């Protein structure tokens, strides 16, 4: 997952400040995700989960309220069907949004002291990781559809 994030940064880094910032948030989110299983319960797991949840919600918010809007606005300026193509991705992205928000609601403020809760969180985290990986791929496709297809046209008009 971290390697795919690096590839996305290499591919779309510099495209726009909003996308650059968003990809940086993605990298921070993945890093927090990867380090969660390494954190012992007695050494701040609850705090690390809370931090992860904050990064998760920030990432989701940036995507929905900044990046997607910018990409859709850019795509609609060209009126070439790319917006319709990108909108097909949204229902699949929404699945991971719902799961991520459920994870946040369940664990952001939960004290992780019982073995049962930690096991449930580990299972939920694993499922969330799979959904996030798919989400990142879908978001990359959306960037491809809405931005990269128009980059040559934008360069011509500048």
């Amino acid at each position: 997952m971290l390697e795919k994030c690096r590839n996305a940064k290499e591919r779309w880094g510099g495209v726009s400040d909003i996308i650059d910032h968003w990809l940086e948030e993605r990298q921070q989110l993945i890093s927090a995700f990867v380090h969660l299983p390494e954190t012992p319960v007695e050494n701040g797991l609850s705090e690390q989960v809370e931090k992860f949840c904050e990064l998760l919600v920030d990432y989701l918010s940036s995507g929905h309220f900044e990046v997607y809007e910018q990409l859709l606005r850019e795509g609609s300026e060209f009126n070439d069907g790319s917006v319709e193509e990108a909108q097909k991705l949204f229902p699949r992205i929404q699945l991971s949004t719902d799961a991520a928000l459920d994870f946040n609601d369940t664990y952001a403020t939960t004290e992780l002291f019982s073995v049962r809760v930690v096991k449930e969180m580990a299972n939920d985290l694993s499922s969330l990781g799979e959904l996030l990986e798919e989400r990142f791929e879908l978001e990359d496709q959306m960037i491809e559809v809405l931005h990269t297809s128009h980059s040559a046209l934008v360069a011509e008009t500048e």
Side-chain angles (χ1 to χ4, degrees):
M1 196 178 336
L2 196 52
E3 185 60 34
K4 288 180 183 178
C5 181
R6 284 190 192 111
N7 291 341
K9 277 185 85 169
E10 289 172 11
R11 188 169 187 180
W12 291 294
V15 167
S16 79
D17 291 340
I18 290 174
I19 291 175
D20 287 350
H21 178 71
W22 188 52
L23 292 174
E24 182 62 37
E25 285 182 332
R26 182 191 287 184
Q27 190 166 359
Q28 291 172 7
L29 176 64
I30 293 169
S31 180
F33 175 85
V34 169
H35 289 93
L36 271 180
E38 301 168 358
T39 308
V41 173
E42 63 278 0
N43 286 351
L45 179 60
S46 294
E47 291 82 8
Q48 291 302 315
V49 171
E50 185 176 338
K51 179 182 174 190
F52 169 75
C53 286
E54 288 174 15
L55 291 169
L56 181 63
V57 171
D58 288 349
Y59 180 81
L60 297 174
S61 297
S62 292
H64 282 284
F65 300 115
E66 294 175 24
V67 178
Y68 300 170
E69 286 183 17
Q70 176 188 337
L71 290 170
L72 288 171
R73 194 171 34 254
E74 182 181 312
S76 66
E77 290 174 11
F78 291 93
N79 196 23
D80 63 356
S82 61
V83 171
E84 292 78 12
E85 193 65 34
Q87 286 178 331
K88 293 176 185 175
L89 301 172
F90 285 124
R92 293 173 57 197
I93 290 173
Q94 189 61 42
L95 293 173
S96 63
T97 300
D98 294 342
L101 293 174
D102 288 346
F103 184 91
N104 178 69
D105 292 347
T106 302
Y107 298 106
T109 58
T110 300
E111 289 297 320
L112 300 171
F113 291 114
S114 82
V115 172
R116 182 185 59 77
V117 172
V118 172
K119 276 183 111 171
E120 287 174 8
M121 188 204 65
N123 289 333
D124 291 345
L125 192 61
S126 176
S127 297
L128 178 61
E130 292 172 12
L131 288 169
L132 287 175
E133 189 165 6
E134 180 182 2
R135 176 193 192 93
F136 300 152
E137 290 174 16
L138 293 168
E139 290 170 340
D140 291 349
Q141 287 176 29
M142 185 171 44
I143 293 170
E144 181 76 35
V145 166
L146 291 170
H147 184 77
T148 307
S149 63
H150 304 126
S151 60
L153 295 172
V154 170
E156 288 175 13
T157 61
E158 292 177 345

